[in-house]
Structures are given as C-alpha cells and as structure tokens.
C-alpha cells in the first residue's frame, strides 16, 4: 500500500466520523423543525404565542448545535487517544519480533544486521503514519471549532493559530523521533558501514527539511553530516587495517609453523613460504 493510499484511508475515516455525526444532527434538527411547524399551524395562536414558539425552537436548535459540536470534539479527542494506543501496540509487536528473530541460534552476522535494519525501517514507517494521522485529527478539530457560526473574528483567529502550533508540535515530535531512531541505529554495533552512511543521509535530509532555517544553520547541518561521513570512512579503514593485520599475523604464524615442522621435507617447507607470500599478495 502506497503512502497516498494510506492517506486516503485516513481521510475517509475522518470524513465518515464527521458524516455519522452530521446524520444524527440532521435527524434531530428535522424533528425540532417539524414540531415548530406543527405548533405554528394552529390558527388560534396569538402573535405572542407564535413568537414564543419560534424563540423556543431557535433555542433548541442552538443547544443542538452546541451539543453536536461537543460530541464531535469528544470523538476527535478519543480518536487521538486510540491512535496512540494503536501505534504503541504495533511498535511493541515490532520490537518483540526483532528480539525473537535476533535470538535465533546459528544466525550469521549479516542476517542479524538485516533483521535489525528491517525492524528500524518498520518502526520509522509506523511512526510516520502515527504523525500523519495526528495531523489529520488536528485538521478535523480545527474545522469543527471553526464551524461555530457564533464565533467572533478574534476567536476564529485564535483557533487557527492554536491548530497551526499543534501541527508544528507534531512535526517537531516527528523530527525528534526520527533523529532519535537514526542515532540509535547509528550507534548499534550491528549496523553496517553502508547502512550508517545511508542513515546519515536521512538525518541530513530530515534536518534540512525544517522550515525557517537560516543559511548558516543549513551550512552547519551539511558540515556535521560531512564530518560524520568522514568519521565512518575512517572507522571502516581502521577496521579493515585491523582485519588485515590479524589476517597477515595468522597466515605468517601458520606459514612459520609449516616451515618449523617441515624438517627435511622440502615440499612442506615450500608450502609454508607460499602461504606467507599468498597472504601478503591478497592484501596488496
């Protein structure tokens, strides 16, 4: 399922909640209007009585609008809570699966690394969906609040500003969570050097995507990313050098051992020399 398809599902769910509430509201409004019409159909009513019926009906409609708005806002708030519970459960399952798979006996180091990387990617995707759905709920709440026709211009402006701040808070939480996940995977001993380079690129892109950055801040983000890449390149070179030294030491020891036990066996002695020379050629 693509991100666009997931977004469409989330939007449809929000629209269905709004539509269900609207249908209930419309039915109750219809009842109030019909009762008002029936009462006003009495030809013996005085003008004062007719006015009172209309005032009573308008008051009922006003209360209905207020109650309907309160119910929809409550549903929106509950949806927020259920959303967090849903994704916390899904993330817990990912963590359990990762722990179970990595505990299997006989895994190669490469297989273990792949399991950890796949789990990190899955967690990142789930968190992105969580934050996207939170934004959708904030948008829905904003529209509900703005639907109140009795609002003053100052109240409408306040609602818009608060919703925008909530969206910014979610975006900041998403960024913080993404960076935390990247740093955690970067520091894991099982993460390959190529994966670390990929993660640094992701972190750089996330940081540069922030709104309102100055040119100096953007330059500093790029500088830090370049420094981290250089550090990884250096670490990989040092690891290769250590591995090379260990390999040459082992091959030299084995070649010397063959020569020591060869005695008068020239073939065995020659084999020892060949092992030593081959080891050095492999690393040239």
């Amino acid at each position: 399922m693509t991100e666009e398809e997931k977004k469409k599902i989330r939007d449809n769910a929000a629209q269905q909640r709004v539509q269900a509430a609207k249908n209930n509201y419309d039915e109750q409004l219809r009842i109030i209007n019909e009762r008002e019409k029936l009462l006003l159909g009495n030809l013996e009513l005085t003008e004062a009585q007719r006015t009172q019926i209309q005032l009573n009906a308008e008051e009922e409609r006003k209360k209905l609008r207020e109650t309907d708005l309160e119910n929809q806002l409550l549903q929106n708030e509950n949806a927020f809570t259920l959303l967090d519970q849903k994704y916390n459960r899904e993330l817990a399952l990912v963590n359990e699966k990762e722990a179970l798979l990595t505990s299997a006996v006989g895994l190669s180091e490469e297989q273990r690394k792949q399991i950890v990387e796949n789990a990190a990617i899955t967690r990142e995707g789930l968190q992105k969906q969580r934050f996207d759905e939170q934004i959708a709920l904030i948008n829905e709440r904003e529209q509900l609040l703005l639907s109140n026709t009795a609002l003053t211009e100052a109240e409408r402006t306040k609602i818009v500003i608060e919703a925008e701040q909530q969206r910014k808070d979610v975006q900041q939480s998403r960024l913080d969570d993404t960076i935390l996940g990247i740093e955690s995977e970067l520091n894991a001993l099982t993460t390959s050097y190529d994966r670390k380079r990929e993660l640094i690129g992701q972190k750089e892109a996330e940081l540069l995507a922030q709104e309102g950055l100055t040119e100096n801040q953007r330059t500093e983000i790029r500088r830090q990313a370049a420094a981290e890449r250089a550090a990884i390149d250096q670490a990989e070179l040092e690891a290769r050098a250590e591995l090379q030294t260990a390999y040459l030491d082992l091959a030299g020891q084995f070649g010397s051992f063959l020569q020591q036990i060869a005695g008068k066996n020239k073939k065995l002695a020659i084999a020892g020399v060949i092992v030593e020379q081959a080891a050095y050629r492999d690393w040239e």
Side-chain angles (χ1 to χ4, degrees):
M1 185 178 294
T2 66
E3 286 300 320
E4 185 61 31
E5 289 172 333
K6 292 176 182 177
K7 182 178 183 301
K8 187 175 181 180
I9 290 174
R10 290 193 295 269
D11 291 343
N12 287 341
Q15 290 174 5
Q16 287 172 1
R17 286 194 297 271
V18 172
Q19 187 60 47
K22 184 179 184 302
N23 291 342
N24 182 57
Y25 170 82
D26 289 346
E27 176 59 21
Q28 293 186 58
L29 181 61
R30 183 187 65 79
I31 292 172
I32 292 172
N33 292 339
E34 285 188 359
R35 183 168 61 245
E36 178 187 23
K37 183 178 179 181
L38 285 172
L39 291 173
L40 291 174
N42 185 350
L43 300 178
E44 297 180 358
L45 291 173
T46 66
E47 192 59 35
Q49 289 173 323
R50 296 179 66 83
T51 299
Q52 188 59 50
I53 289 171
Q54 291 171 333
L55 289 174
N56 290 343
E58 185 55 40
E59 183 62 25
E60 284 186 280
R61 283 189 285 266
K62 179 183 176 182
K63 289 181 179 179
L64 177 61
R65 287 193 296 269
E66 291 173 351
T67 301
D68 179 64
L69 179 58
E70 289 174 1
N71 289 337
Q72 290 189 64
L73 289 172
L74 181 60
Q75 289 177 9
N76 180 274
E77 184 177 338
N78 290 339
F80 245 108
T81 302
L82 293 174
L83 180 67
D84 280 338
Q85 293 175 351
K86 167 190 169 184
Y87 281 103
N88 287 341
R89 285 195 302 269
E90 292 190 18
L91 288 167
L93 289 174
V94 172
N95 294 337
E96 289 175 10
K97 181 179 178 181
E98 178 186 16
L100 179 64
L101 292 175
T102 53
S103 66
V105 178
L107 282 179
S108 67
E109 194 59 32
E110 186 59 35
Q111 288 173 320
R112 192 178 302 278
K113 287 179 181 178
Q114 192 60 54
I115 290 170
V116 172
E117 288 181 13
N118 289 343
I121 292 171
T122 302
R123 280 191 292 267
E124 181 182 349
L126 285 173
Q127 289 292 62
K128 183 180 184 306
Q129 291 176 30
R130 181 210 292 259
F131 294 127
D132 286 346
E133 290 187 39
Q134 286 180 344
I135 292 292
L137 287 172
I138 290 171
N139 294 342
E140 178 183 312
R141 179 179 176 81
E142 180 184 20
Q143 292 304 311
L144 285 172
L145 291 171
L146 291 174
S147 68
N148 184 352
T149 56
L151 291 173
T152 65
E153 192 59 36
E155 289 172 330
R156 296 179 67 84
T157 300
K158 184 173 182 290
I159 290 169
V160 172
I161 291 174
E162 288 178 348
E164 184 57 33
Q165 184 58 53
Q166 289 174 335
R167 283 188 285 268
K168 288 180 179 179
D169 290 343
V170 170
Q171 292 294 354
Q172 186 61 50
S173 295
R174 186 196 67 78
L175 177 62
D176 292 344
D177 184 82
T178 299
I179 298 301
L180 180 62
I182 289 174
E183 293 291 353
S184 177
E185 191 176 353
L186 275 172
N187 294 325
L189 296 176
T190 56
T191 305
S192 66
Y193 290 109
D194 286 341
R195 175 61 177 165
K196 286 183 177 182
R197 293 186 185 93
E198 181 182 342
L199 289 169
I200 289 172
Q202 289 180 13
K203 183 170 71 170
E204 181 182 19
E206 288 286 349
L207 292 173
L208 289 173
Q210 297 177 92
E211 295 181 1
L213 289 176
T214 65
E215 194 56 39
N216 286 339
Q217 289 172 322
R218 300 178 72 83
T219 299
E220 180 59 20
I221 290 170
R222 294 190 182 100
R223 187 197 65 76
Q224 290 181 359
E228 289 181 332
R229 290 190 187 94
I232 288 175
D233 291 342
Q234 183 63 33
E236 185 175 22
L237 286 174
E238 291 174 357
R240 286 180 178 275
E242 290 177 5
L243 181 60
Q244 177 182 2
T245 300
Y247 176 75
L248 293 175
D249 286 346
L250 182 61
Q253 292 171 14
F254 182 60
S256 298
F257 173 71
L258 288 178
Q259 293 177 54
Q260 289 172 11
I261 67 173
K264 295 182 179 180
N265 188 333
K266 292 183 179 181
K267 290 184 178 180
L268 196 55
I270 291 172
V273 173
I274 291 174
V275 168
E276 289 182 335
Q277 292 176 342
Y280 282 96
R281 282 198 305 272
D282 288 343
W283 288 94
E284 287 178 352

